[in-house]
Amino acid sequence: MTSTTHDPPKRRRDRAAREREILEAAEQIFGRRGYQATSMDEVAVMGGVSKPLIYQYYGSKDGLFLACLSRLRGQLLEAVADAVLAAPNAEDALYAGFLAWFRFLDDHPSAWSVLVDEGMLATGPAAEATDEVRAAFIELIATMVRMNLPAGRVTDDEIQIVAQSISGATERLAIWRTRTPNPPTPEKVAHTLQNLLWQGLHTLKTA
């Protein structure tokens, strides 16, 4: 009598794995097509799930976008914060933070459009969420400046001016790099920014 063996039942992907696959697909499609032109059908096909499941998890395209944005925000801020905290001194921390920012965008080529690209969104919860990403990054910069300059060296207003300026510079550079053939490397951009801003920080004096 020939015995038969049965393959073990295929394990169903758990919810965390499915969500990761959905969000990875959504990041690519939102980044490539923009918010308005993104199709939930396309996200479902690329993510290997049904469209009803996406609605079950996220409720709407807005909900999917917000979840995608939250994931990218956490990854980006963690990458930058880890790089800054691992640096041996304040000057290196500035370089490390810039380098982590530009490397993250290079490693996630669709992330820029999803995070903060101009004109992607005008109003609504998704637009508010992109503003929150920017505000969180600015606060991280302000904290780094505050921690790495002597107490009393600069005022809170000056710290905010510096943080807003750095945020604006990194955003414009990110846009420029995505639109430029053969852009400079993250290392080159980070080194140039570090040299420019480190000298400027040390000329600040309290009023």
Side-chain angles (χ1 to χ4, degrees):
M1 180 176 179
T2 303
S3 62
T4 58
T5 58
H6 298 280
D7 293 332
K10 186 181 292 185
R11 293 182 61 190
R12 297 181 63 185
R13 290 171 295 170
D14 61 20
R15 174 161 180 160
R18 288 195 299 268
E19 288 193 358
R20 182 174 62 252
E21 291 163 359
I22 291 168
L23 293 177
E24 287 172 354
E27 176 188 330
Q28 293 183 49
I29 297 170
F30 279 129
R32 184 170 65 248
R33 298 191 181 281
Y35 177 80
Q36 298 298 335
T38 289
S39 161
M40 297 289 270
D41 289 304
E42 189 176 1
V43 175
V45 170
M46 183 176 287
V49 299
S50 67
K51 186 166 72 170
L53 184 66
I54 299 179
Y55 280 103
Q56 178 184 332
Y57 283 177
Y58 303 106
S60 64
K61 187 164 77 170
D62 267 0
L64 176 61
F65 180 84
L66 292 172
C68 187
L69 185 62
S70 176
R71 176 175 178 266
L72 284 169
R73 169 187 173 178
Q75 291 174 337
L76 174 60
L77 293 179
E78 181 179 8
V80 174
D82 286 350
V84 168
L85 292 173
N89 55 57
E91 186 173 4
D92 287 344
L94 197 63
Y95 171 80
F98 290 143
L99 182 60
W101 164 270
F102 290 107
R103 278 183 173 171
F104 181 90
L105 296 181
D106 280 2
D107 291 341
H108 299 76
S110 298
W112 176 251
S113 293
V114 178
L115 284 165
V116 286
D117 198 2
E118 323 173 292
M120 182 176 178
L121 299 161
T123 60
E128 292 171 5
T130 60
D131 288 340
E132 290 174 4
V133 172
R134 182 178 292 107
F137 186 60
I138 290 170
E139 182 54 35
L140 177 61
I141 296 168
T143 299
M144 182 180 70
V145 173
R146 194 176 291 112
M147 289 175 61
N148 290 300
L149 287 178
R153 177 71 180 268
V154 294
T155 66
D156 286 342
D157 283 346
E158 287 172 326
I159 288 172
Q160 280 300 312
I161 292 169
V162 169
Q164 295 282 346
S165 299
I166 292 175
S167 175
T170 55
E171 288 192 19
R172 292 308 311 175
L173 283 166
I175 294 171
W176 172 66
R177 288 183 76 244
T178 63
R179 298 174 181 174
T180 301
N182 303 314
T185 64
E187 290 80 5
K188 176 66 174 179
V189 178
H191 183 66
T192 303
L193 270 177
Q194 176 207 31
N195 285 339
L196 174 67
L197 293 167
W198 185 251
Q199 297 298 323
L201 286 173
H202 281 266
T203 64
L204 290 175
K205 296 180 180 179
T206 54

PDB file of all heavy atoms in Angstrom, residues 13-30:
ATOM      1  N   ARG A  13      -0.439  34.702   5.284  1.00  0.00           N
ATOM      2  CA  ARG A  13       0.325  35.848   5.764  1.00  0.00           C
ATOM      3  C   ARG A  13      -0.415  36.505   6.922  1.00  0.00           C
ATOM      4  O   ARG A  13      -1.633  36.676   6.884  1.00  0.00           O
ATOM      5  CB  ARG A  13       0.505  36.867   4.639  1.00  0.00           C
ATOM      6  CG  ARG A  13       1.428  36.409   3.537  1.00  0.00           C
ATOM      7  CD  ARG A  13       1.381  37.380   2.376  1.00  0.00           C
ATOM      8  NE  ARG A  13       0.063  37.398   1.757  1.00  0.00           N
ATOM      9  CZ  ARG A  13      -0.312  38.288   0.851  1.00  0.00           C
ATOM     10  NH1 ARG A  13       0.510  39.229   0.469  1.00  0.00           N
ATOM     11  NH2 ARG A  13      -1.524  38.243   0.325  1.00  0.00           N
ATOM     12  N   ASP A  14       0.328  36.865   7.944  1.00  0.00           N
ATOM     13  CA  ASP A  14      -0.333  37.547   9.048  1.00  0.00           C
ATOM     14  C   ASP A  14      -0.625  38.994   8.663  1.00  0.00           C
ATOM     15  O   ASP A  14      -0.158  39.484   7.631  1.00  0.00           O
ATOM     16  CB  ASP A  14       0.495  37.448  10.329  1.00  0.00           C
ATOM     17  CG  ASP A  14       1.866  38.093  10.204  1.00  0.00           C
ATOM     18  OD1 ASP A  14       2.064  38.936   9.307  1.00  0.00           O
ATOM     19  OD2 ASP A  14       2.752  37.760  11.004  1.00  0.00           O
ATOM     20  N   ARG A  15      -1.405  39.648   9.496  1.00  0.00           N
ATOM     21  CA  ARG A  15      -1.831  41.000   9.138  1.00  0.00           C
ATOM     22  C   ARG A  15      -0.650  41.952   8.989  1.00  0.00           C
ATOM     23  O   ARG A  15      -0.633  42.787   8.073  1.00  0.00           O
ATOM     24  CB  ARG A  15      -2.808  41.531  10.194  1.00  0.00           C
ATOM     25  CG  ARG A  15      -3.178  42.988   9.948  1.00  0.00           C
ATOM     26  CD  ARG A  15      -4.425  43.421  10.644  1.00  0.00           C
ATOM     27  NE  ARG A  15      -4.712  44.817  10.372  1.00  0.00           N
ATOM     28  CZ  ARG A  15      -5.902  45.384  10.524  1.00  0.00           C
ATOM     29  NH1 ARG A  15      -6.919  44.665  10.941  1.00  0.00           N
ATOM     30  NH2 ARG A  15      -6.075  46.666  10.252  1.00  0.00           N
ATOM     31  N   ALA A  16       0.358  41.842   9.859  1.00  0.00           N
ATOM     32  CA  ALA A  16       1.505  42.745   9.768  1.00  0.00           C
ATOM     33  C   ALA A  16       2.204  42.612   8.424  1.00  0.00           C
ATOM     34  O   ALA A  16       2.606  43.614   7.809  1.00  0.00           O
ATOM     35  CB  ALA A  16       2.478  42.466  10.912  1.00  0.00           C
ATOM     36  N   ALA A  17       2.349  41.368   7.949  1.00  0.00           N
ATOM     37  CA  ALA A  17       3.004  41.159   6.655  1.00  0.00           C
ATOM     38  C   ALA A  17       2.159  41.733   5.524  1.00  0.00           C
ATOM     39  O   ALA A  17       2.685  42.372   4.594  1.00  0.00           O
ATOM     40  CB  ALA A  17       3.249  39.671   6.437  1.00  0.00           C
ATOM     41  N   ARG A  18       0.856  41.526   5.587  1.00  0.00           N
ATOM     42  CA  ARG A  18      -0.017  42.063   4.539  1.00  0.00           C
ATOM     43  C   ARG A  18       0.014  43.590   4.531  1.00  0.00           C
ATOM     44  O   ARG A  18       0.057  44.214   3.476  1.00  0.00           O
ATOM     45  CB  ARG A  18      -1.455  41.558   4.731  1.00  0.00           C
ATOM     46  CG  ARG A  18      -1.638  40.082   4.388  1.00  0.00           C
ATOM     47  CD  ARG A  18      -3.111  39.734   4.230  1.00  0.00           C
ATOM     48  NE  ARG A  18      -3.856  39.960   5.459  1.00  0.00           N
ATOM     49  CZ  ARG A  18      -4.061  39.039   6.386  1.00  0.00           C
ATOM     50  NH1 ARG A  18      -3.560  37.825   6.234  1.00  0.00           N
ATOM     51  NH2 ARG A  18      -4.763  39.308   7.462  1.00  0.00           N
ATOM     52  N   GLU A  19      -0.019  44.181   5.712  1.00  0.00           N
ATOM     53  CA  GLU A  19       0.016  45.641   5.781  1.00  0.00           C
ATOM     54  C   GLU A  19       1.327  46.176   5.217  1.00  0.00           C
ATOM     55  O   GLU A  19       1.336  47.192   4.519  1.00  0.00           O
ATOM     56  CB  GLU A  19      -0.182  46.111   7.225  1.00  0.00           C
ATOM     57  CG  GLU A  19      -1.605  45.940   7.735  1.00  0.00           C
ATOM     58  CD  GLU A  19      -1.841  46.679   9.026  1.00  0.00           C
ATOM     59  OE1 GLU A  19      -0.885  47.291   9.548  1.00  0.00           O
ATOM     60  OE2 GLU A  19      -2.971  46.664   9.511  1.00  0.00           O
ATOM     61  N   ARG A  20       2.424  45.517   5.543  1.00  0.00           N
ATOM     62  CA  ARG A  20       3.718  45.959   5.014  1.00  0.00           C
ATOM     63  C   ARG A  20       3.713  45.916   3.490  1.00  0.00           C
ATOM     64  O   ARG A  20       4.174  46.857   2.828  1.00  0.00           O
ATOM     65  CB  ARG A  20       4.832  45.082   5.572  1.00  0.00           C
ATOM     66  CG  ARG A  20       6.229  45.514   5.114  1.00  0.00           C
ATOM     67  CD  ARG A  20       7.318  44.713   5.805  1.00  0.00           C
ATOM     68  NE  ARG A  20       7.229  43.285   5.506  1.00  0.00           N
ATOM     69  CZ  ARG A  20       6.827  42.364   6.372  1.00  0.00           C
ATOM     70  NH1 ARG A  20       6.476  42.712   7.600  1.00  0.00           N
ATOM     71  NH2 ARG A  20       6.777  41.085   6.028  1.00  0.00           N
ATOM     72  N   GLU A  21       3.187  44.845   2.905  1.00  0.00           N
ATOM     73  CA  GLU A  21       3.148  44.713   1.456  1.00  0.00           C
ATOM     74  C   GLU A  21       2.231  45.752   0.824  1.00  0.00           C
ATOM     75  O   GLU A  21       2.542  46.328  -0.228  1.00  0.00           O
ATOM     76  CB  GLU A  21       2.711  43.300   1.081  1.00  0.00           C
ATOM     77  CG  GLU A  21       3.764  42.253   1.440  1.00  0.00           C
ATOM     78  CD  GLU A  21       3.215  40.834   1.478  1.00  0.00           C
ATOM     79  OE1 GLU A  21       1.996  40.669   1.240  1.00  0.00           O
ATOM     80  OE2 GLU A  21       3.996  39.911   1.756  1.00  0.00           O
ATOM     81  N   ILE A  22       1.099  46.006   1.473  1.00  0.00           N
ATOM     82  CA  ILE A  22       0.177  47.029   0.958  1.00  0.00           C
ATOM     83  C   ILE A  22       0.845  48.399   0.976  1.00  0.00           C
ATOM     84  O   ILE A  22       0.785  49.154  -0.006  1.00  0.00           O
ATOM     85  CB  ILE A  22      -1.120  47.050   1.789  1.00  0.00           C
ATOM     86  CG1 ILE A  22      -1.933  45.770   1.554  1.00  0.00           C
ATOM     87  CG2 ILE A  22      -1.970  48.274   1.431  1.00  0.00           C
ATOM     88  CD1 ILE A  22      -3.074  45.587   2.544  1.00  0.00           C
ATOM     89  N   LEU A  23       1.488  48.743   2.095  1.00  0.00           N
ATOM     90  CA  LEU A  23       2.084  50.072   2.223  1.00  0.00           C
ATOM     91  C   LEU A  23       3.281  50.239   1.297  1.00  0.00           C
ATOM     92  O   LEU A  23       3.512  51.334   0.762  1.00  0.00           O
ATOM     93  CB  LEU A  23       2.478  50.334   3.677  1.00  0.00           C
ATOM     94  CG  LEU A  23       1.302  50.451   4.650  1.00  0.00           C
ATOM     95  CD1 LEU A  23       1.801  50.633   6.066  1.00  0.00           C
ATOM     96  CD2 LEU A  23       0.364  51.588   4.253  1.00  0.00           C
ATOM     97  N   GLU A  24       4.045  49.181   1.084  1.00  0.00           N
ATOM     98  CA  GLU A  24       5.157  49.268   0.139  1.00  0.00           C
ATOM     99  C   GLU A  24       4.639  49.511  -1.281  1.00  0.00           C
ATOM    100  O   GLU A  24       5.212  50.317  -2.025  1.00  0.00           O
ATOM    101  CB  GLU A  24       5.997  47.993   0.200  1.00  0.00           C
ATOM    102  CG  GLU A  24       6.847  47.894   1.461  1.00  0.00           C
ATOM    103  CD  GLU A  24       7.522  46.546   1.611  1.00  0.00           C
ATOM    104  OE1 GLU A  24       7.245  45.637   0.792  1.00  0.00           O
ATOM    105  OE2 GLU A  24       8.349  46.392   2.541  1.00  0.00           O
ATOM    106  N   ALA A  25       3.562  48.835  -1.637  1.00  0.00           N
ATOM    107  CA  ALA A  25       2.961  49.057  -2.954  1.00  0.00           C
ATOM    108  C   ALA A  25       2.393  50.473  -3.055  1.00  0.00           C
ATOM    109  O   ALA A  25       2.582  51.169  -4.067  1.00  0.00           O
ATOM    110  CB  ALA A  25       1.865  48.023  -3.206  1.00  0.00           C
ATOM    111  N   ALA A  26       1.706  50.902  -2.007  1.00  0.00           N
ATOM    112  CA  ALA A  26       1.098  52.239  -2.024  1.00  0.00           C
ATOM    113  C   ALA A  26       2.158  53.325  -2.129  1.00  0.00           C
ATOM    114  O   ALA A  26       1.973  54.322  -2.848  1.00  0.00           O
ATOM    115  CB  ALA A  26       0.256  52.438  -0.766  1.00  0.00           C
ATOM    116  N   GLU A  27       3.273  53.157  -1.420  1.00  0.00           N
ATOM    117  CA  GLU A  27       4.355  54.152  -1.490  1.00  0.00           C
ATOM    118  C   GLU A  27       4.825  54.321  -2.929  1.00  0.00           C
ATOM    119  O   GLU A  27       4.994  55.453  -3.410  1.00  0.00           O
ATOM    120  CB  GLU A  27       5.519  53.714  -0.609  1.00  0.00           C
ATOM    121  CG  GLU A  27       6.728  54.644  -0.704  1.00  0.00           C
ATOM    122  CD  GLU A  27       7.939  54.082   0.021  1.00  0.00           C
ATOM    123  OE1 GLU A  27       7.778  53.344   1.010  1.00  0.00           O
ATOM    124  OE2 GLU A  27       9.072  54.385  -0.433  1.00  0.00           O
ATOM    125  N   GLN A  28       5.021  53.211  -3.628  1.00  0.00           N
ATOM    126  CA  GLN A  28       5.496  53.296  -5.005  1.00  0.00           C
ATOM    127  C   GLN A  28       4.475  53.978  -5.911  1.00  0.00           C
ATOM    128  O   GLN A  28       4.825  54.824  -6.748  1.00  0.00           O
ATOM    129  CB  GLN A  28       5.793  51.890  -5.523  1.00  0.00           C
ATOM    130  CG  GLN A  28       6.964  51.206  -4.839  1.00  0.00           C
ATOM    131  CD  GLN A  28       7.243  49.851  -5.471  1.00  0.00           C
ATOM    132  OE1 GLN A  28       7.331  49.727  -6.701  1.00  0.00           O
ATOM    133  NE2 GLN A  28       7.362  48.829  -4.648  1.00  0.00           N
ATOM    134  N   ILE A  29       3.211  53.612  -5.746  1.00  0.00           N
ATOM    135  CA  ILE A  29       2.194  54.139  -6.665  1.00  0.00           C
ATOM    136  C   ILE A  29       1.862  55.589  -6.351  1.00  0.00           C
ATOM    137  O   ILE A  29       1.741  56.425  -7.256  1.00  0.00           O
ATOM    138  CB  ILE A  29       0.944  53.238  -6.634  1.00  0.00           C
ATOM    139  CG1 ILE A  29       1.314  51.831  -7.127  1.00  0.00           C
ATOM    140  CG2 ILE A  29      -0.160  53.823  -7.517  1.00  0.00           C
ATOM    141  CD1 ILE A  29       0.228  50.800  -6.927  1.00  0.00           C
ATOM    142  N   PHE A  30       1.707  55.929  -5.068  1.00  0.00           N
ATOM    143  CA  PHE A  30       1.493  57.334  -4.713  1.00  0.00           C
ATOM    144  C   PHE A  30       2.659  58.191  -5.216  1.00  0.00           C
ATOM    145  O   PHE A  30       2.464  59.299  -5.714  1.00  0.00           O
ATOM    146  CB  PHE A  30       1.365  57.499  -3.198  1.00  0.00           C
ATOM    147  CG  PHE A  30       0.007  57.170  -2.636  1.00  0.00           C
ATOM    148  CD1 PHE A  30      -0.124  56.294  -1.573  1.00  0.00           C
ATOM    149  CD2 PHE A  30      -1.138  57.756  -3.150  1.00  0.00           C
ATOM    150  CE1 PHE A  30      -1.364  55.987  -1.037  1.00  0.00           C
ATOM    151  CE2 PHE A  30      -2.394  57.462  -2.624  1.00  0.00           C
ATOM    152  CZ  PHE A  30      -2.503  56.568  -1.563  1.00  0.00           C
TER     153      PHE A  30
END
